[in-house]
Amino acid sequence: MLDIIIHLLLAILMPPLLLGVIVKTKAAFAGRVGAPLLQPYYDIARLLRKGSVFSDTTTWVFRAGPVVTLAATAVAALLVPLGNHPAPVSFAGDMILFAYLFGLARFFTTVAALDTGSSFEGMGAAREVTFSCLAEPTLFFALITLARMSGSLSLTPMLTHATVADWLTAGASLLLLVGALFLVLLVENCRIPFDDPTTHLELTMIHEVMVLDHSGPAFGLILYGAALKLFVLGAFFMNVALPVRTGNTLADWGIFVASMLVLAVAVGVVESVMARLRLIRIPQLLVAATILSAFAMLLILR
């Protein structure tokens, strides 16, 4: 019961902190002080206190988009183990539900953007769906690889099975898998080099252009949902990349929190040293991620 409570508290409270760490890291690289570490919390709280403005052209789909997206991401957070601790919800085949919960969230985000009737938001929705179609094979190849290694179709044994010994015996496969999953982490969270979450150029925006018409609490839910998605996919990634098991409950929780903060710093470093790719180059990088995960699967299946 204690593990479940800690899992829920981390899933609720930690996601905005990751965004703050990323912003602080980018500010340090630019030689600036940057916004406070807790600024994402302030922004979400401020938006939740404001009123919302809805266009006359929108329907219930536009209002349901942020709610369904956050709800689907929250359910996905219950399926992923954090560190060496089992997820609150676990059953055979939950890896399929995990993948399609993000598909459901993306569907409602894009249809909410299309519901506005804006050509710019429609453009962003088309790009978002295109990139997700190229990223999903990578995720499924990774799930197949982890399922073969663990002998289970449930995320908890799949992600808690990996150990340091596995890196010694199947290091090549895991290395390819980590590289592919990191690219999926960046593209699914609309980070550089795939997208720039701070851009204001409408012709280059992808995810941000889809939420231009949202305001007040709806936009607050979108920001929190984006932070939660980064947390969930980050936890998935770190279970594979850093399978450290101490046997001590508190130590394992501490290692998980520290690893997530290190991951946020790594994302900030990538965004500080790289520029956003041209749109025609993004599919090529996503195909490369799929090839990496496919080779990882072949090495495990052979």
Side-chain angles (χ1 to χ4, degrees), residues 167-240:
W167 274 91
L168 298 177
T169 57
S173 178
L174 288 174
L175 188 62
L176 293 174
L177 202 60
V178 166
L181 288 176
F182 188 68
L183 292 176
V184 170
L185 173 71
L186 295 178
V187 70
E188 286 288 340
N189 290 281
C190 305
R191 314 300 306 192
I192 292 175
F194 300 99
D195 190 15
D196 188 352
T198 61
T199 184
H200 293 89
L201 298 175
E202 292 175 326
L203 291 178
T204 62
M205 296 165 73
I206 300 175
H207 181 268
E208 297 303 316
V209 74
M210 295 192 298
V211 298
L212 285 177
D213 281 336
H214 290 281
S215 60
F219 190 53
L221 294 180
I222 289 173
L223 292 182
Y224 182 76
L228 183 59
K229 186 176 183 179
L230 175 63
F231 175 83
V232 173
L233 292 178
F236 185 99
F237 172 80
M238 292 309 302
N239 274 313
V240 179

Side-chain angles (χ1 to χ4, degrees), residues 14-217:
M14 192 175 181
L17 179 62
L18 300 181
L19 297 182
V21 172
I22 293 174
V23 172
K24 271 293 186 182
T25 303
K26 294 171 66 176
F29 269 82
R32 299 181 287 104
V33 176
L37 196 62
L38 302 181
Q39 187 62 46
Y41 295 95
Y42 304 146
D43 292 341
I44 294 172
R46 174 175 52 84
L47 288 168
L48 293 178
R49 294 195 301 267
K50 290 193 170 188
S52 297
V53 178
F54 297 102
S55 171
D56 293 335
T57 63
T58 59
T59 64
W60 64 270
V61 174
F62 181 78
R63 303 190 184 204
V67 178
V68 175
T69 299
L70 178 57
T73 309
V75 174
L78 299 177
L79 300 175
V80 177
L82 304 183
N84 194 32
H85 305 278
V89 179
S90 179
F91 55 89
D94 59 4
M95 64 177 191
I96 303 298
L97 176 61
F98 174 79
Y100 281 97
L101 280 171
F102 287 114
L104 176 65
R106 184 179 299 107
F107 172 78
F108 269 88
T109 300
T110 53
V111 296
L114 295 173
D115 193 48
T116 62
S118 168
S119 58
F120 277 120
E121 295 195 32
M123 175 189 67
R127 293 174 178 175
E128 175 85 4
V129 172
T130 301
F131 296 160
S132 67
C133 290
L134 295 173
E136 282 182 358
T138 304
L139 178 61
F140 276 103
F141 280 136
L143 291 173
I144 293 172
T145 303
L146 295 173
R148 177 59 184 264
M149 291 179 61
S150 63
S152 173
L153 296 177
S154 178
L155 284 175
T156 292
M158 283 169 56
L159 296 177
T160 57
H161 174 269
T163 61
V164 176
D166 290 329
W167 274 91
L168 298 177
T169 57
S173 178
L174 288 174
L175 188 62
L176 293 174
L177 202 60
V178 166
L181 288 176
F182 188 68
L183 292 176
V184 170
L185 173 71
L186 295 178
V187 70
E188 286 288 340
N189 290 281
C190 305
R191 314 300 306 192
I192 292 175
F194 300 99
D195 190 15
D196 188 352
T198 61
T199 184
H200 293 89
L201 298 175
E202 292 175 326
L203 291 178
T204 62
M205 296 165 73
I206 300 175
H207 181 268
E208 297 303 316
V209 74
M210 295 192 298
V211 298
L212 285 177
D213 281 336
H214 290 281
S215 60

